[in-house]
Amino acid sequence: MAFDFKKEYKALYLPTTQPAIVQVPAAGYLAVRGTGDPNQEGGPYQKAIGILYAVAYTIKMSDKTDRQIPGFFPYVVPPLEGFWWQEGVQGIDYSNKSALQWISVIRLPDFVSPADVRWAVETASRKKKLDCSPVEFLSIDEGLCVQCLHLGPYDTEPETIARMNDHLRQQGCEEDLGNGRFHHEIYLSDPRKTPPERWKTVIRHPIRRI
């Protein structure tokens, strides 16, 4: 049976609607960086998602090619994730999406190296006739975080974040956004197929103890 990150790491990918503090280990990701409104039809964000998945599935299917990656095992491509921020803003201003900066990512199994990612970028670009060159290997170490499952549209996330911050105060902690530590979302629903009121999104924020 294929390895499924959501099932094997439930604490990180399938949290409850109650805020909880977690220690997130370092991991490797496929990543694309960009700016602008993610809802722009055919915009940079939507193009980034397309090339991310093209490279992700190229790696997933690499065992059926000449690229035999040491330690390879069958796995389910993990869910799409995103790191978000705006210059000069603490947290996210949901009314000004054009000012958003983002890094869209998909987690990689530990056996994938930067060289494997470069191979996959070149292979996907050639086979899919897409420019996948913006895709990079990125190592991320989030460390201590608070997270919670958010139900509903993205624009109602501030309500969930307020509950997360209440929980932090009770635990003697506070948000630690900035300096390379960002608002983090993990998308458990496909917005193309699911109505907004049923969207499931993991919200994760870096924290520090007071």
Side-chain angles (χ1 to χ4, degrees):
M1 183 176 292
F3 183 92
D4 189 332
F5 284 86
K6 289 192 295 185
K7 293 179 180 178
E8 299 296 332
Y9 299 108
K10 290 182 180 180
L12 299 179
Y13 287 96
L14 297 174
T16 70
T17 55
Q18 297 302 312
I21 293 175
V22 293
Q23 184 74 31
V24 184
Y29 295 80
L30 293 175
V32 178
R33 304 169 188 266
T35 60
D37 188 342
N39 299 318
Q40 180 186 348
E41 191 67 32
Y45 179 78
Q46 294 186 8
K47 291 179 180 177
I49 303 311
I51 61 175
L52 262 182
Y53 275 106
V55 175
Y57 277 94
T58 298
I59 295 173
K60 170 183 167 62
M61 304 302 292
S62 63
D63 64 323
K64 297 179 174 23
T65 72
D66 292 337
R67 184 78 176 193
Q68 298 298 299
I69 302 175
F72 179 94
F73 53 79
Y75 66 97
V76 177
V77 172
L80 177 70
E81 309 183 36
F83 294 89
W84 302 85
W85 71 98
Q86 292 157 316
E87 292 298 333
V89 176
Q90 180 71 16
I92 299 293
D93 177 2
Y94 289 79
S95 67
N96 188 18
K97 294 184 177 66
S98 62
L100 283 168
Q101 301 191 48
W102 39 265
I103 308 174
S104 292
V105 304
I106 295 176
R107 185 170 175 175
L108 291 167
D110 290 343
F111 61 74
V112 179
S113 70
D116 296 321
V117 171
R118 290 193 293 271
W119 166 83
V121 167
E122 294 171 0
T123 301
S125 297
R126 184 177 67 254
K127 291 188 174 181
K128 303 288 186 181
K129 294 182 170 52
L130 285 171
D131 179 12
C132 296
S133 60
V135 179
E136 61 179 291
F137 177 95
L138 185 62
S139 181
I140 301 173
D141 187 358
E142 289 187 271
L144 196 64
C145 295
V146 62
Q147 67 179 21
C148 186
L149 180 64
H150 171 73
L151 303 176
Y154 305 130
D155 285 349
T156 62
E157 287 182 0
E159 301 165 13
T160 298
I161 293 170
R163 290 196 298 110
M164 292 165 61
N165 286 333
D166 286 343
H167 179 72
L168 286 181
R169 284 189 286 271
Q170 295 169 13
Q171 300 299 316
C173 300
E174 63 183 5
E175 285 184 339
D176 189 23
L177 295 167
N179 297 317
R181 307 190 78 195
F182 306 120
H183 172 87
H184 184 180
E185 299 178 357
I186 304 173
Y187 308 104
L188 304 181
S189 304
D190 186 340
R192 300 169 301 177
K193 303 176 181 178
T194 310
E197 63 271 15
R198 294 178 58 192
W199 289 353
K200 295 181 178 180
T201 308
V202 179
I203 301 176
R204 184 183 294 163
H205 280 179
I207 65 173
R208 61 183 169 220
R209 299 198 183 276
I210 301 174

